């Protein structure tokens, strides 16, 4: 598939960001977010240097772009990623309302480099009792009541 | 299902955190993380007040716990959530290595309150061309090469 010129430029920047990050102690992933054609965020994976398991390039870029634009709604934005987003990052992309993602490498290449995104995709599709992590439920009524209170709350800001 | 006493106590704290957050302008979700029985993080949903679509209670709690413990590895931790984690947060839970999650309400109750976690679970299980967001690929060789460089890099810290 041939990318448009601007998509190619921004995806190359995401890949370059990933490449440079290796020798700086981070993971080999980079992301760029553009809004109406202009770059608003550029980030690399910072899990190890930041001691933060959520600090994937895409999450960092979404946080930067949101801060830059002053809103959690990134529906005018395109995200460029050096590799296919993992389930955490793809979930964040949905919550941010980003409607287009352009990426280069994929989950299978990531798995062969030791990043098992594919396993997490598989786990998320399982019922909770079939997953490798233990998931227990309790206090259902108390939990449900919080959501009912939200529904009734007149000043809520939906997102 | 009956929870153990300590699980009940910490889950009640997560639910109370969610409840109080509504009148403070955040979403109706709370999370607590305990490590070896001691609380290391407690957080509420901050999406709207922080202008950050990733600021779900579980993500905030994971970031707090990682900062507190100085590591991205939370395998000694249990996460308590007022509601079933969404795919973004469950992905983060896997990346953090958390092995047990205790939660109260669920994705169906969340959906009826306007939080469509279920749709995101469904979207993640689809092939990329079937999703509601546009996903395009390009520059595959350049993207793959970054991962090959990582594999060859002698000083990498795996995570």
């Amino acid at each position: 598939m041939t990318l448009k010129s601007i998509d190619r430029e921004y995806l190359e920047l995401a890949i370059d960001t990933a490449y440079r990050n290796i020798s700086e102690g981070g993971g080999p992933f980079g992301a760029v977010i553009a809004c109406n054609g202009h770059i608003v965020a550029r980030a690399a994976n910072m899990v190890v240097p930041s001691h933060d398991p959520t600090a994937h390039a895409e999450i960092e870029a979404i946080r930067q772009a949101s801060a830059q634009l002053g809103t959690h709604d990134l529906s005018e934005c395109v995200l460029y990623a050096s590799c296919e987003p993992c389930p955490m990052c793809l979930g964040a992309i949905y919550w941010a309302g980003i409607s287009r993602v352009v990426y280069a490498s994929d989950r299978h290449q990531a798995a062969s480099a030791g990043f098992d995104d594919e396993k997490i995709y598989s786990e998320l599709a399982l019922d909770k009792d079939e997953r490798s992590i233990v998931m227990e439920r309790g206090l259902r009524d108390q939990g449900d009541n919080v959501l009912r209170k939200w529904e009734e709350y007149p000043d809520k800001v939906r997102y």
Side-chain angles (χ1 to χ4, degrees), chain A residues 22-149:
Chain A
I22 296 175
S23 57
E24 291 170 8
F29 302 100
V32 165
I33 294 177
C35 181
N36 297 317
H38 300 284
I39 292 175
V40 293
R42 173 183 178 184
N45 178 293
M46 295 295 286
V47 169
V48 171
S50 294
H51 306 308
D52 179 358
T54 74
H56 285 199
E58 298 92 325
I59 297 281
E60 293 293 288
I62 288 171
R63 294 171 61 98
Q64 271 183 33
S66 302
Q68 175 76 14
L69 300 172
T71 174
H72 61 274
D73 177 4
L74 304 183
S75 53
E76 300 296 317
C77 297
V78 179
L79 186 142
Y80 300 87
S82 64
C83 189
E84 182 183 2
C86 80
M88 172 179 73
C89 294
L90 189 51
I93 287 163
Y94 278 97
W95 286 117
I98 291 170
S99 56
R100 194 161 76 93
V101 176
V102 185
Y103 66 96
S105 195
D106 74 358
R107 65 177 85 173
H108 306 295
Q109 296 290 324
S112 75
F115 301 98
D116 207 353
D117 300 26
E118 176 65 24
K119 187 197 166 201
I120 301 179
Y121 272 105
S122 302
E123 285 276 320
L124 262 59
L126 296 175
D127 287 334
K128 79 176 179 63
D129 296 328
E130 297 170 337
R131 292 187 181 132
S132 64
I133 58 175
V134 177
M135 299 191 78
E136 297 174 41
R137 284 191 73 186
L139 308 181
R140 296 184 189 208
D141 290 349
Q142 287 182 49
D144 293 351
N145 283 344
V146 176
L147 296 170
R148 297 296 83 77
K149 189 200 173 202

